[in-house]
């Protein structure tokens, strides 16, 4: 891949500078790649109607060609132009309730959408993001914007523009820095093309919020061939082991594992909710640069949304940790915990239930 000059532009989200947005929108219109903030994670955008532009997203990220992209719109009304047939009633209700916001709907694909976006599927994923910079950019470009998360394929999704820079500098045209994202995990992906709606990926909108509107809803299982579940994701550079179960058992198991690593002279990381940190103090001195055991807290179990919002930043911290292995305590897979556990299970090389 030819190295590009990547322009880095800071945007004040309280008073958005129009000329920066116009510059980035022009790059989208002329087939370029623009990374921009959304409320979930940073996206890497291209003109969704230009198959050639869309294919450069895949090469910039090193993304498998058969993993389809979400199309981002500024308004719900714009969905109709991208789908086949009329907008289903259920989709309308969901759009009213959750857009702009972290819910992606999978619908039958219309002819306007190139195969590069849908990776050959006959469906298309759409959402309206709740972020002033994303909306201003899409609106100004006057185009639907295809955008995966703006990370190298397989890396944790970027929740800051610095993360995007680390992964994609030299590979894309522009990074719009609108500060850290708020939700911190990606959108919930909901397939409305089956008789019963299927959650292909838990995310920013919780299943408990969707249920009252949907009635019946199924979870796409981790083994399903749905593109949302098929690929290994979110891996930090250090191997991660997820330990789930009763808290006491989890703490005991992590102790056992860590002591085993210490015997071999290995360096270990532990990622645990703040309530559990006290149980590992005997193993680790937080912030001790020479310690062989590094403890990083994940935020409180009592605020899983805050935990979700800092999750990917925490995972990236392990990159610089140079640990041989990292152990992670699981959380309850309820509310925002469902998306957290989904990301952790994908990131882990091994999951242990005790
Ligand atoms: O919050 C988000 O969703 C972020 C921001 C940038 O909007 N985007 C994002 O995109 O996470 P990406 O490409 O990293 O994840 C999109 C997921 C993938 O798992 C993909 O397989 C699934 O959505 N997906 C996209 N189109 C689909 C389709 N037509 N059918 C089934 N799954 C689809
Ligand atoms: Mg992604």
């Amino acid at each position: 891949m030819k190295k590009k000059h990547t322009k880095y532009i800071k945007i004040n989200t309280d008073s958005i500078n129009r000329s920066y947005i116009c510059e980035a929108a022009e790059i989208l219109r002329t087939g370029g790649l623009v990374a921009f903030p959304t409320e979930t994670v940073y996206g890497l955008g291209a003109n969704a109607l230009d198959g050639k532009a869309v294919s450069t997203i895949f090469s910039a990220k090193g993304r498998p060609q058969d993993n389809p992209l979400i199309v981002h719109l500024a308004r719900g009304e714009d969905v109709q132009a991208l789908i086949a047939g009329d907008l289903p009633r259920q989709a309308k209700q969901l759009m009213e309730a959750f857009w702009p916001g972290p819910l992606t709907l999978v619908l039958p694909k219309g002819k306007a959408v190139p195969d590069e976006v849908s990776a050959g599927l006959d469906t298309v994923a759409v959402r309206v993001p709740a972020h002033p910079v994303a909306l201003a950019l899409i609106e100004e470009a006057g185009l639907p914007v295809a955008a995966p998360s703006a990370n190298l394929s397989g890396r944790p999704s970027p929740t800051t523009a610095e993360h995007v820079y680390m992964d994609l500098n030299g590979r894309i045209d522009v990074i719009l820095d609108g500060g850290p994202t708020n939700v911190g995990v990606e959108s919930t992906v909901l397939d409305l093309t089956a008789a019963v709606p299927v959650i292909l990926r838990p995310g920013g909108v919780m299943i408990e919020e969707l249920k009252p509107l949907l009635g019946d809803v199924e979870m796409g299982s981790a083994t399903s061939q749905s593109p949302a579940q098929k690929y290994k994701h979110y891996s930090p550079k250090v191997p991660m082991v997820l330990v789930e179960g009763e808290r006491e058992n989890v703490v005991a198991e992590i102790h056992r594992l860590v002591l085993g690593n210490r015997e071999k002279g290995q360096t270990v990381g532990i990622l645990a909710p703040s309530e559990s940190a006290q149980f590992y103090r005997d193993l680790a001195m937080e912030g001790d640069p020479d310690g062989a055991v590094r403890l990083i807290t994940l935020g409180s179990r009592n605020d899983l949304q805050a935990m979700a919002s800092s999750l990917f930043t925490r995972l990236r911290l392990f990159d610089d940790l140079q640990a041989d292995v990292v152990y992670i305590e699981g959380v309850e897979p309820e509310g925002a915990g469902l998306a957290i556990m989904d990301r952790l299970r994908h990131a882990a090389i091994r999951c242990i239930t005790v």
Side-chain angles (χ1 to χ4, degrees), residues 32-72:
L33 296 181
V34 176
F36 60 94
T38 79
E39 79 281 35
T40 57
V41 301
Y42 275 72
L44 177 59
N47 175 1
L49 302 178
D50 176 351
K52 216 170 131 227
V54 169
S55 70
T56 63
I57 291 179
F58 289 85
S59 39
K61 280 188 55 119
R63 182 180 175 103
Q65 294 285 346
D66 61 345
N67 193 6
L69 306 177
I70 297 170
V71 179
H72 296 68

Side-chain angles (χ1 to χ4, degrees), residues 47-321:
N47 175 1
L49 302 178
D50 176 351
K52 216 170 131 227
V54 169
S55 70
T56 63
I57 291 179
F58 289 85
S59 39
K61 280 188 55 119
R63 182 180 175 103
Q65 294 285 346
D66 61 345
N67 193 6
L69 306 177
I70 297 170
V71 179
H72 296 68
L73 302 166
R75 275 174 306 265
E77 297 93 276
D78 299 338
V79 171
Q80 187 61 64
L82 301 177
I83 63 170
D86 289 336
L87 194 61
R89 195 176 50 87
Q90 201 167 40
K92 270 189 211 151
Q93 287 173 343
L94 290 162
M95 286 160 53
E96 263 165 40
F98 296 105
W99 281 5
L103 177 67
T104 293
L105 301 177
V106 174
L107 293 162
K109 183 179 95 70
K111 289 204 175 65
V113 180
D115 282 341
E116 285 84 350
V117 171
S118 58
L121 298 176
D122 54 9
T123 55
V124 61
V126 288
R127 86 175 188 102
V128 174
H131 194 288
V133 174
L135 292 173
L137 175 69
I138 300 165
E139 178 89 59
E140 181 62 38
L143 294 165
V145 174
S149 49
N151 50 283
L152 282 176
S153 194
R155 298 273 300 136
S157 293
T159 53
T160 67
E162 290 80 15
H163 296 162
V164 179
Y165 182 87
M166 281 186 274
D167 278 13
L168 298 177
N169 180 40
R171 296 171 159 260
I172 64 177
D173 297 294
V174 180
I175 299 172
L176 297 180
D177 179 357
T181 63
N182 170 22
V183 177
V185 289
E186 305 88 335
S187 61
T188 301
V189 179
L190 181 68
D191 185 352
L192 292 179
T193 62
V196 175
V198 184
I199 294 185
L200 298 177
R201 178 178 72 184
V205 170
M206 294 179 281
I207 185 164
E208 294 86 345
E209 299 175 85
L210 289 172
K211 268 190 175 148
L213 261 175
L214 287 177
D216 255 3
V217 55
E218 283 172 8
M219 284 300 296
S221 80
T223 53
S224 92
Q225 279 308 294
S226 133
Q229 296 289 0
K230 201 161 88 178
Y231 298 99
K232 183 160 168 51
H233 276 312
Y234 319 115
S235 318
K237 290 172 184 161
V238 180
M240 271 182 32
V241 176
L242 177 64
V243 187
E244 355 176 5
E246 289 288 325
R247 161 112 63 99
E248 267 172 50
N249 299 343
V250 168
V251 170
E253 178 67 6
I254 292 181
H255 268 78
R256 197 183 65 77
L257 291 163
V258 168
L259 293 173
N261 292 107
R262 295 292 303 273
E263 272 171 27
K264 288 187 235 158
Q266 289 176 327
T267 304
V268 181
I270 301 172
L271 185 64
S274 45
E275 289 84 3
S276 293
Q278 53 179 315
F279 303 124
Y280 301 109
R281 296 258 185 251
D282 57 325
L283 294 172
M285 300 259 286
E286 202 165 359
D288 168 11
D290 299 310
V293 181
R294 320 280 166 78
L295 178 61
I296 295 183
T297 54
L298 192 54
S300 170
R301 273 178 205 285
N302 298 324
D303 189 352
L304 292 175
Q305 286 195 351
M307 192 185 277
S309 125
S310 62
L311 179 68
F312 288 134
T313 300
R314 292 287 185 282
L315 293 187
R316 278 180 185 254
L317 281 180
F318 286 113
D319 287 352
D320 302 321
L321 207 64

